[in-house]
Amino acid sequence: MKVPYLDLKAQYESIRGEIADAIQQVLDKTAFAGGPFVAQFEKEFAAFCGTQFATGVGSGTDALWVALLGLGIGPGDEVITVPDTFIATAEAISWCGAKPVFVDVDPITYNMDPSKVEAAITPKTRAIIPVHLFGQMANMDPILTIARKRRLFVVEDASQAHGAEYKGRKAGSIGDAGCFSFYPGKNLGAYGEAGAVVTNNEELDKKMRMLRDHGQAKKYFHSLIGWNARMDGIQGAILSVKLRHLEAWTEARRRNAKRYDELLRNVPGITVPVEAPNAKHVYHIYAIRVAERDRLIASLVEKDIHCGIHYPIPVHLLDAYKSLNLGKGSFPVAERSAAEFVSLPMYPELTPAQIDRVAGGIATFLESERRAAV
Ligand SMILES: Cc1ncc(COP(=O)(O)O)c(C=O)c1O
């Protein structure tokens, strides 16, 4: 039995008719760039997140970039984030002309360690970007307390956390802005590239709407230097269809995670994910930690079980950020977890038999390692 890391086709098959109808409507109205289908999705997604506004953009990277620019972040500024993330978080900071400043992550949740934030603040710091890694929200209360005290903006990178909760509040709704990716493999994934920013700040929302559309609020009256970061009409229509299913898909992911937890929790040599108290994890990624990571992945491939690694190199050690001069040992928790993470197959359509097969393959590998060691 093959267990792919992702199976987008299984989900598509379950909503094929609804998707075809939605795309047909966009074609009938030729509403391809922005337009009514994007506006409708923005309304629905803001309601889902519990915010007043949502602005659809072309990708999660656009969402972060538009949010930072909208908040006035620019050259000379510093923005604090984590190295345990996809490079886009740091890239958006860099493309505003600002400098990413990293702080290490918590060893249990792999999210920003709030106790490390104050020491990273300088007179140039303007904002903090906690990343809700793998689908679990960062510990927002202490981050917000520091941000308020030091007058810093908080931009949530919720690209992996659609519908996740912290003390009953949805991802994206707590900071000044919340940024989402709808990359196809995300919990709410488009059939192409798309993203969104949610906020309760009307001024910020207005500015972000202009920035995504060449700095114009009225056609050809450009009052800002913006960019083309618009969402496609077809993606808006597809996302509206998929949003209706998101809660059920999230519950399926949580059920799958629970089954993995039960099967793997007591296997020696494995660290399973921990859902923090007061958090609702949406398991975009179910990442375990194993010391013999690379050999484990190779042994699973032989059984036709396919895993991922998110992310093998923390951002501060990537060649792209060599100029920051942050060597190995700068962020030990992020570095150690990056060396041990294995992302197991995780999607709503994963069957109990597939989960059992993955867990069985892992347990067999670790058992044979143990035998070989004695
Ligand atoms: C944490 C995080 N931030 C930002 C992004 C960027 O999103 P996109 O690929 O839609 O530009 C991603 C997507 O992979 C992500 O996982």
Side-chain angles (χ1 to χ4, degrees):
M1 180 201 310
K2 178 174 179 166
V3 190
Y5 174 66
L6 251 187
D7 188 352
L8 296 183
K9 201 156 179 210
Q11 186 168 92
Y12 169 60
E13 293 297 351
S14 72
I15 53 171
R16 178 191 272 268
E18 288 174 82
I19 293 290
D21 288 348
I23 293 176
Q24 192 58 54
Q25 284 183 43
V26 180
L27 298 179
D28 290 343
K29 286 212 158 76
T30 62
F32 298 128
F37 296 95
V38 172
Q40 178 63 26
F41 171 68
E42 287 172 341
K43 246 190 357 208
E44 292 164 358
F45 193 62
F48 173 80
C49 292
T51 58
Q52 278 179 272
F53 309 101
T55 294
V57 291
S59 67
T61 311
D62 279 350
L64 288 159
W65 174 76
V66 156
L68 291 172
L69 274 188
L71 290 167
I73 310 292
D77 295 338
E78 292 179 359
V79 177
I80 295 173
T81 190
V82 286
D84 232 351
T85 182
F86 183 57
I87 190 174
T89 319
E91 276 177 328
I93 298 168
S94 300
W95 277 106
C96 290
K99 178 183 168 189
V101 172
F102 300 109
V103 295
D104 212 344
V105 296
D106 175 85
I108 308 291
T109 63
Y110 316 122
N111 279 324
M112 178 175 279
D113 181 344
S115 73
K116 302 273 165 52
V117 174
E118 292 241 48
I121 296 174
T122 76
K124 295 179 178 173
T125 310
R126 299 283 315 283
I128 306 174
I129 308 185
V131 178
H132 304 323
L133 197 72
F134 300 156
Q136 170 151 256
M137 289 180 68
N139 189 4
M140 293 301 288
D141 278 351
I143 294 171
L144 287 173
T145 303
I146 296 165
R148 284 202 195 102
K149 193 169 83 187
R150 308 295 291 261
R151 296 180 178 279
L152 306 174
F153 296 117
V154 174
V155 175
E156 296 172 61
D157 186 342
S159 294
Q160 301 186 3
H162 317 73
E165 291 178 19
Y166 174 82
K167 300 189 178 175
R169 297 173 71 187
K170 285 258 171 70
S173 71
I174 298 183
D176 295 281
C179 301
F180 291 86
S181 163
F182 303 124
Y183 185 72
K186 295 289 195 265
N187 289 26
L188 180 61
Y191 287 172
E193 304 280 350
V197 192
V198 297
T199 185
N200 288 313
N201 178 336
E202 189 170 6
E203 282 307 303
L204 174 63
D205 184 66
K206 273 192 191 143
K207 195 167 168 198
M208 293 190 299
R209 285 174 179 279
M210 291 170 70
L211 286 167
R212 75 168 174 185
D213 194 16
H214 298 293
Q216 61 185 354
K218 186 175 162 197
K219 198 161 181 147
Y220 301 134
F221 289 77
H222 306 272
S223 44
L224 297 170
I225 298 175
W227 194 253
N228 176 359
R230 295 181 296 248
M231 183 189 277
D232 285 358
I234 285 180
Q235 302 310 335
I238 288 170
L239 287 165
S240 282
V241 169
K242 294 187 77 180
L243 185 57
R244 297 201 283 270
H245 298 276
L246 185 57
E247 270 175 29
W249 288 335
T250 297
E251 286 319 306
R253 284 177 183 273
R254 287 177 57 78
R255 271 197 305 279
N256 294 344
K258 195 159 172 248
R259 192 171 184 99
Y260 272 136
D261 285 346
E262 283 162 5
L263 293 167
L264 296 173
R265 188 185 291 131
N266 298 319
V267 176
I270 297 184
T271 307
V272 296
V274 173
E275 184 172 47
N278 296 320
K280 180 179 175 187
H281 200 318
V282 295
Y283 295 101
H284 171 54
I285 288 171
Y286 186 95
I288 59 168
R289 286 173 61 183
V290 177
E292 315 83 353
R293 184 257 308 276
D294 295 336
R295 276 184 303 119
L296 167 63
I297 291 176
S299 91
L300 292 174
V301 168
E302 279 174 20
K303 299 185 168 84
D304 219 3
I305 298 168
H306 302 271
C307 297
I309 300 177
H310 300 88
Y311 297 92
I313 307 175
V315 179
H316 67 287
L317 296 178
L318 290 170
D319 282 350
Y321 279 106
K322 245 193 318 221
S323 60
L324 294 176
N325 286 320
L326 294 165
K328 271 198 180 146
S330 302
F331 306 104
V333 181
E335 289 169 30
R336 178 157 175 234
S337 44
E340 296 181 349
F341 279 143
V342 185
S343 307
L344 304 188
M346 171 53 80
Y347 32 94
E349 300 76 17
L350 198 63
T351 65
Q354 285 177 309
I355 295 171
D356 295 354
R357 179 150 170 76
V358 177
I362 296 169
T364 307
F365 168 80
L366 289 172
E367 182 56 34
S368 67
E369 289 285 297
R370 242 189 329 277
R371 283 222 202 90
V374 288

